[in-house]
Amino acid sequence: MALDQSPEIDYDESQEGKEMTFLEHLEELRWHLIRSIAAILIFMIAAWFLKGLIFNTIILGPSKPDFWTYRMMCKIGTSVGIDSLCVDKMNFSLMSRQVSGQFMMALTASAITGLLIAFPYVFWEIWRFIKPGLKLTEKKASRGAVFFVTLLFMMGVLFGYYVVAPFAINFLVNFQLDPSIENQFDIQSYIGVLATLTLACGITFQLPMAIFVLTKVGVVGPKFLRDYRRHAIVVLLIVAAVITPSPDMISQIVVAIPLYFLYEISILVSAREEKRKLKEEAKLNS
């Protein structure tokens, strides 16, 4: 994985290398924040008008037995002779126990949707504010940062939505201490679990970018990551167990495998960045 190419645009080439006062920095930051918030609000309003589709198809999707993940689980289970992987029904009902409950949930869901869709633009605005303060070599090394951060975040969100959240929700809603106890969950609780797991995966998938930054500042290196690979595998299994409430090993392994691949990609990213740093040091010393 290399931070090579991305459709980034320098917002004001005339500002490159120009010293700015503290107040000018604050003013520049203010406009970046204003544009970011405006983008979130625009997508939030659009999501509000599409709230019926978003709720019925996307948000409530993992709560239905015909959800894509459950159908795939059933196909896999049938092919290997494990019929228990098929989800026939979800043993719970959703309720709204507050007068303004459904309205607030529609507002919250619209805000989360607006933030997810606007994330690439928001991060680009943040990057535009940070970029002028970097050295030329740092700008070259971090080229493509917006693209890769966005790509990894969206991959993590999709993984959380289609893998982690369905496993967790299916386990939690079907867990019963006694058949006489009915599962009636508040809509806020359901959306909270779905949003938390999905966003957590989006953040977790930033591991290669985090390793890139840590390698750049000299905190870790490829040798360190390789030497502690076994320890990392244990940590990844623990993380998989934490974000997957289901106690069965299959669910935890399904979650742990992508995390392990991200760790291996992080080693390659770290090795590439360390190699680049050694080349620069050799040029300076020659």
Side-chain angles (χ1 to χ4, degrees), residues 78-286:
T78 303
S79 63
V80 297
I82 306 177
D83 296 333
S84 59
L85 290 179
C86 293
V87 178
D88 298 323
K89 66 175 182 177
M90 304 293 284
N91 190 28
F92 78 109
S93 60
L94 290 174
M95 302 180 67
S96 178
R97 294 184 172 87
Q98 300 178 3
V99 175
S100 60
Q102 295 197 46
F103 174 79
M104 292 305 299
M105 279 302 96
L107 195 62
T108 303
S110 298
I112 294 174
T113 303
L115 178 61
L116 287 174
I117 299 176
F119 175 82
Y121 179 78
V122 172
F123 184 78
W124 182 59
E125 284 289 350
I126 296 173
W127 179 247
R128 290 173 67 193
F129 177 73
I130 297 174
K131 189 177 179 181
L134 300 178
K135 298 178 182 178
L136 181 61
T137 54
E138 293 174 333
K139 291 177 183 177
K140 291 181 179 179
S142 58
R143 189 177 300 164
V146 175
F147 172 77
F148 284 109
V149 167
T150 301
L151 177 64
L152 290 170
F153 180 76
M154 291 305 174
M155 288 174 61
V157 167
L158 290 174
F159 179 74
Y161 178 74
Y162 281 105
V163 179
V164 178
F167 275 116
I169 291 173
N170 181 49
F171 168 74
L172 293 174
V173 302
N174 287 301
F175 179 82
Q176 283 185 303
L177 293 173
D178 188 87
S180 63
I181 303 175
E182 295 182 3
N183 287 328
Q184 296 180 341
F185 305 122
D186 191 276
I187 183 66
Q188 295 182 8
S189 176
Y190 170 81
I191 293 180
V193 171
L194 180 63
T196 300
L197 292 175
T198 303
L199 293 176
C201 288
I203 295 172
T204 303
F205 269 54
Q206 297 300 320
L207 178 62
M209 294 303 299
I211 294 298
F212 170 76
V213 174
L214 292 175
T215 303
K216 191 172 185 61
V217 298
V219 176
V220 299
K223 184 179 184 303
F224 175 86
L225 296 174
R226 293 190 184 101
D227 291 343
Y228 286 89
R229 181 185 273 115
R230 293 182 179 179
H231 301 79
I233 293 174
V234 175
V235 173
L236 293 177
L237 289 173
I238 294 174
V239 171
V242 170
I243 64 178
T244 313
S246 177
D248 64 280
M249 287 298 296
I250 295 178
S251 302
Q252 295 173 10
I253 291 174
V254 167
V255 174
I257 288 175
L259 296 180
Y260 175 74
F261 279 124
L262 285 173
Y263 186 81
E264 291 296 330
I265 292 173
S266 299
I267 294 177
L268 297 177
V269 170
S270 180
R272 183 181 178 88
E273 175 58 18
E274 187 176 76
K275 184 178 180 181
R276 186 195 64 80
K277 288 172 63 177
L278 291 175
K279 284 184 177 180
E280 286 187 357
E281 291 175 1
K283 287 182 180 180
L284 291 175
N285 295 329
S286 60

Side-chain angles (χ1 to χ4, degrees), residues 46-59:
W48 175 268
F49 286 105
L50 297 173
K51 59 183 178 294
L53 174 65
I54 292 173
F55 256 89
N56 184 55
T57 305
I58 300 176
I59 295 178

Side-chain angles (χ1 to χ4, degrees), residues 23-37 125 129:
L23 291 178
E24 288 175 332
H25 276 293
L26 288 180
E27 178 67 14
E28 190 67 33
L29 177 61
R30 184 173 75 91
W31 280 107
H32 285 297
L33 293 176
I34 289 174
R35 287 190 291 267
S36 298
I37 294 172
E125 284 289 350
F129 177 73

